[in-house]
């Protein structure tokens, strides 16, 4: 079965997760770089697949890191065991987990002090991936039905008014204290309290339930994208985190503002998958 690429969510802003056992995969790593490797070394920023190896005879919970289909290393044993359940669940649903990956390589001639017996060049590779905590790798709800486009990540914005919706937020409370979720952004009209005038602001919804509205100033930074997608009959989706419990909670929006969107945006519309029993179970099994 061919797996569908799935970019893991998370708050890892840089490739800080160590990858080990690169040495046995020197040839695979070399193939990703020009030959010869520049004297100053070389680096590469790309995407990596995280591949559970249940038939690995040394450790059935090992996680291989593959770039362009080639193994370049493994997650350290303890980390692999922490991430194995969620990654294996994604693969079982036909999804291939992917993360940002940084590779750095260098090559040099043996030094004089290594002796006359030293032959050939020395090679070193370092591989790291950007990986959030296991409970923050996937959203806990389904994407919006029909056609939608997920805004690229952006700096966090606390959604005003989210604390007044405990019943709406209750399904998103987790024992870890936080989770990722799909939200949708909607342009709505509200009174501004001055001479009965009206203004357009952005309302944030979780599973079509309102959880708060952005200020007029912040709304103006998202409305162009929302209006554009509405014109092509698509919803605007975004990543949010839900934090807290019934006593205190907040929703934080992580979405690029219209002026920060890449020139190629949008590069294609997504369509929500049919909610299979397995997907629904995975998306809701951690709910309190």
């Amino acid at each position: 079965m061919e797996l569908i690429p799935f970019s893991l969510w998370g708050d890892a802003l840089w490739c800080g997760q160590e990858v080990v056992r690169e040495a046995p995969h020197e040839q695979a790593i070399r193939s990703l770089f020009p030959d010869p490797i520049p004297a100053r070394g070389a680096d590469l920023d790309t995407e990596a697949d995280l591949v559970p190896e249940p038939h690995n005879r040394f450790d059935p919970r090992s996680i291989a890191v593959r770039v362009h289909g080639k193994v370049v290393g493994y997650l350290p044993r303890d980390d692999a065991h922490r991430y194995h359940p969620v990654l294996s669940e994604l693969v079982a649903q036909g999804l291939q987990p992917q993360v940002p990956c940084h590779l750095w390589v260098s090559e040099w001639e043996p030094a004089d002090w290594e002796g006359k017996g030293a032959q050939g060049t020395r090679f070193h590779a370092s591989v790291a991936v950007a990986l959030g905590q296991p409970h923050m790798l996937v959203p806990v709800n389904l994407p919006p039905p029909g056609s939608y486009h997920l805004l690229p990540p952006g700096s966090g914005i606390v959604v005003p008014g989210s604390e007044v919706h405990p019943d709406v937020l209750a399904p998103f409370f987790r024992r870890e204290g936080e989770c990722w979720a799909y939200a949708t952004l909607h342009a709505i009209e509200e009174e501004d309290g001055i001479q009965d005038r009206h203004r357009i602001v952005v309302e944030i919804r979780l599973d079509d339930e309102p959880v708060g509205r952005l200020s007029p100033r912040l709304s103006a930074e998202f409305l162009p994208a929302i209006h554009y997608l509405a014109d092509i009959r698509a919803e605007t989706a975004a990543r949010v985190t839900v934090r807290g419990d019934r006593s205190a909670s907040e929703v934080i929006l992580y979405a690029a503002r219209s002026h920060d969107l890449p020139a190629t945006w949008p590069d294609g519309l997504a369509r929500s998958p049919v909610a299979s029993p397995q997907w629904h179970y995975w998306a809701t099994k951690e709910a309190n």
Side-chain angles (χ1 to χ4, degrees):
M1 176 180 66
E2 184 175 353
L3 301 180
I4 300 171
F6 178 81
S7 294
L8 295 178
W9 290 27
D11 54 1
L13 301 180
W14 61 291
C15 294
Q17 170 62 56
E18 177 190 16
V19 173
V20 298
R21 294 164 54 191
E22 301 100 322
H25 307 287
E26 176 181 333
Q27 292 307 313
I29 296 174
R30 279 182 177 274
S31 71
L32 302 172
F33 292 89
D35 185 20
I37 294 172
R40 65 183 183 279
D43 59 1
L44 172 67
D45 289 303
T46 185
E47 292 287 317
D49 294 337
L50 299 183
V51 183
E53 293 187 340
H55 302 298
N56 188 308
R57 63 189 181 94
F58 298 106
D59 184 1
R61 289 185 290 175
S62 62
I63 304 294
V65 179
R66 294 184 183 178
V67 175
H68 297 172
K70 301 174 181 179
V71 175
V72 296
Y74 285 79
L75 294 187
R77 181 183 178 90
D78 289 346
D79 293 325
H81 290 188
R82 288 197 304 126
Y83 287 103
H84 186 270
V86 64
L87 297 179
S88 295
E89 183 70 28
L90 288 170
V91 171
Q93 295 179 43
L95 302 174
Q96 174 56 68
Q98 292 186 335
V99 290
C101 178
H102 180 79
L103 301 95
W104 182 84
V105 296
S106 61
E107 189 174 39
W108 64 94
E109 296 294 333
D112 293 339
W113 57 263
E114 294 184 73
K116 296 181 179 180
Q119 299 293 325
T121 59
R122 299 290 186 264
F123 177 82
H124 174 74
S126 175
V127 183
V129 296
L131 194 57
Q133 293 299 311
H135 70 279
M136 294 291 280
L137 295 184
V138 293
V140 299
N141 62 344
L142 292 169
S147 296
Y148 70 94
H149 198 90
L150 183 67
L151 291 174
S155 56
I157 299 172
V158 176
V159 179
S162 59
E163 70 278 359
V164 301
H165 298 276
D167 292 336
V168 173
L169 294 181
F172 298 89
F173 295 147
R174 293 296 186 272
R175 61 176 177 267
E176 296 89 355
E178 61 181 349
C179 71
W180 281 108
Y182 281 104
T184 52
L185 280 58
H186 303 265
I188 65 166
E189 187 178 85
E190 68 172 15
E191 293 185 4
D192 66 3
I194 301 176
Q195 299 180 352
D196 294 326
R197 292 187 305 184
H198 292 78
R199 60 191 178 191
I200 303 298
V201 296
V202 173
E203 183 173 78
I204 311 298
R205 299 177 189 173
L206 285 172
D207 293 343
D208 213 29
E209 292 286 346
V211 296
R213 296 178 182 178
L214 301 183
S215 68
R217 180 183 64 81
L218 282 175
S219 293
E221 300 193 49
F222 293 96
L223 285 171
I226 295 171
H227 289 320
Y228 176 81
L229 290 179
D231 287 343
I232 58 175
R233 299 186 179 182
E235 281 202 278
T236 304
R239 299 169 174 85
V240 298
T241 57
V242 180
R243 294 176 178 169
D245 52 31
R246 283 186 173 273
S247 62
S249 61
E250 64 180 5
V251 174
I252 304 175
L253 171 70
Y254 291 92
R257 307 173 195 211
S258 297
H259 63 268
D260 291 328
L261 292 171
T264 57
W265 187 91
D267 54 5
L269 290 175
R271 183 168 293 277
S272 181
V274 175
S276 68
Q278 294 85 358
W279 179 289
H280 185 264
Y281 171 73
W282 161 66
T284 60
K285 65 179 179 179
E286 292 297 328
N288 290 335

